[in-house]
Amino acid sequence: MTDDHPRYVAKELDADDQLAHLRDRFVIADDDLIYLDGNSLGRLPAATPAHLDRLVRHGWGEQLVRSWPTWIEWGRRLGDRLARHALGARPGEVVVSDSTSVNLYKLAAAALDAAPADRRTVLVDAEDFPTDRYVVQGLAAARGLTVRALPSDLDDGLRLDRLRNALDHRVALVLLSTVSYRSGALLDMGAVNAAARAVGAVVLWDLSHAAGAVPVDLTGTGTDLAVGCTYKYLNAGPGAPAFLYVRREAQDRLRQPIQGWFGQRDQFLMSAAYDPAPGLDRFLVGTPPILSLAALDPALDILAEAGIDRVRRKGTRLGELLVELADAWLTPYGFRLASPRDPRRRGSHVTLHHPEALRISRALATEGRVVGDYRTPDRLRLGPAPLYTRFVDVWDAMDRLRDIAARRAWERMPGEPSRVT
Ligand SMILES: *Cc1c(COP(=O)(O)O)cnc(C)c1O
């Protein structure tokens, strides 16, 4: 069977890979461990430890509070870098701050408060990431609005005609993920924005599984609002602050609900009453976590060097190889593709369905030394992040997965859920 898909073909793809050298820019602590979970927590860039060490010793240890005039600009500076290298936004439209969940709350609330009173519906994808749905449920409950959860296909994502049918003049806000966390299904942001605009509704995009993996064109797609995290394909480290985007023209007519001093006009005048700063600053809340923020710089250096279009091209090819091998090798063992088959409709991860996916993912990690993850229901998610994953890693991972399936090695694994999957 291997003869049909020999390993040397993967080796040749690596030899042709213009991004191959960038793998050395990451810490690869164990070369035998195949890491296909960069969509959950990106790898550590090799430059990050020294960068943070310098910041801690010099910026904090020696300069102390005198560093703040520099630090205070970092959320905006990093937002502009992200806008340029990953998001297709203009300067002054993206800022790095808070978590994705908190930014969702801020922007969804701002959009709902600005919507006309007769718009009483919020649309979400019923299969979207939990925090997105929960945040909207809470906001809607507090305002007496209705959340309509649109049914979407677990493997193929939300159909545009289904969304169009649900859009009318009663819709205030639509919350969607560009790339589905479960299946990797990729939505056409421009088409969705246009459909929503036609009925006067606002779309808030979650770019968490798209940023750093697929080119996002916030300006070109006519996006008003977006959020996303930096610890997945953007490699800024566990719990690194998220980003938010507000289209320039919309900034001054929106108000976010957390009235902190970083969102205040002339912050250091310490005025009695809250008066939101003009522009993007009004979407800030409080003192930024400088040590976490700092890790985004070395990560973005690598992305900038690679170029998001080349990252996407490689990500597409890695996914195609993965799907080809899954079809050939794993179908006989009861696996089936649980992502869109067309790579243009997929982000950078690929999901496989198997009734024993949880135990298989455990056997794959322990015996196979391949780290992917399990997602409900019955899905094994494999994310070959393009900046540091080789084609041969995908080949070896699928070979090890086939071996585990053939030997039924997963039967020895516990089937109970754990605190983190
Ligand atoms: C990863 C992810 C989040 C994470 O939110 P946090 O506030 O960082 O926990 C939110 N939404 C989506 C769609 C995600 O993929």
Side-chain angles (χ1 to χ4, degrees), residues 177-359:
S177 288
T178 300
V179 173
S180 153
Y181 81 99
R182 184 190 279 113
S183 67
L186 173 65
L187 283 173
D188 180 341
M189 294 176 68
V192 169
N193 287 336
R197 188 167 308 112
V199 298
V202 174
V203 187
L204 168 54
W205 288 98
D206 190 326
L207 304 172
S208 290
H209 276 87
V214 300
V216 174
D217 182 5
L218 291 172
T219 304
T221 55
T223 298
D224 288 312
L225 303 169
V227 300
C229 81
T230 62
Y231 50 76
K232 291 170 179 162
Y233 291 102
L234 291 169
N235 307 310
F243 61 86
L244 67 80
Y245 158 88
V246 182
R247 181 188 205 45
R248 194 187 287 155
E249 294 75 12
Q251 290 172 2
D252 286 336
R253 58 182 164 78
L254 294 176
R255 272 181 82 140
Q256 58 98 355
I258 310 176
Q259 298 191 171
W261 72 311
F262 269 68
Q264 167 76 356
R265 186 189 298 271
D266 301 323
Q267 173 184 7
F268 283 92
L269 292 183
M270 309 291 190
S271 312
Y274 181 75
D275 178 17
L280 194 60
D281 284 347
R282 64 176 54 198
F283 299 94
L284 296 174
V285 177
T287 307
I290 292 301
L291 302 185
S292 303
L293 209 51
L296 189 52
D297 263 320
L300 281 178
D301 290 344
I302 308 174
L303 181 66
E305 187 179 328
I308 189 67
D309 291 323
R310 288 201 293 178
V311 170
R312 172 60 171 161
R313 218 169 305 137
K314 180 175 177 187
T316 301
R317 291 193 184 131
L318 287 164
E320 284 176 316
L321 177 64
L322 200 159
V323 170
E324 182 187 319
L325 297 179
D327 284 345
W329 294 348
L330 299 175
T331 311
Y333 300 110
F335 289 84
R336 74 172 169 75
L337 182 64
S339 293
R341 190 163 278 283
D342 180 350
R344 290 166 304 184
R345 295 196 41 239
R346 218 172 44 219
S348 261
H349 67 272
V350 174
T351 303
L352 301 175
H353 177 273
H354 190 287
E356 292 290 348
L358 175 59
R359 293 206 282 171

Side-chain angles (χ1 to χ4, degrees), residues 381-394:
R381 198 172 62 158
L382 302 170
L387 288 177
Y388 45 76
T389 308
R390 298 168 297 198
F391 289 91
V392 79
D393 293 327
V394 168

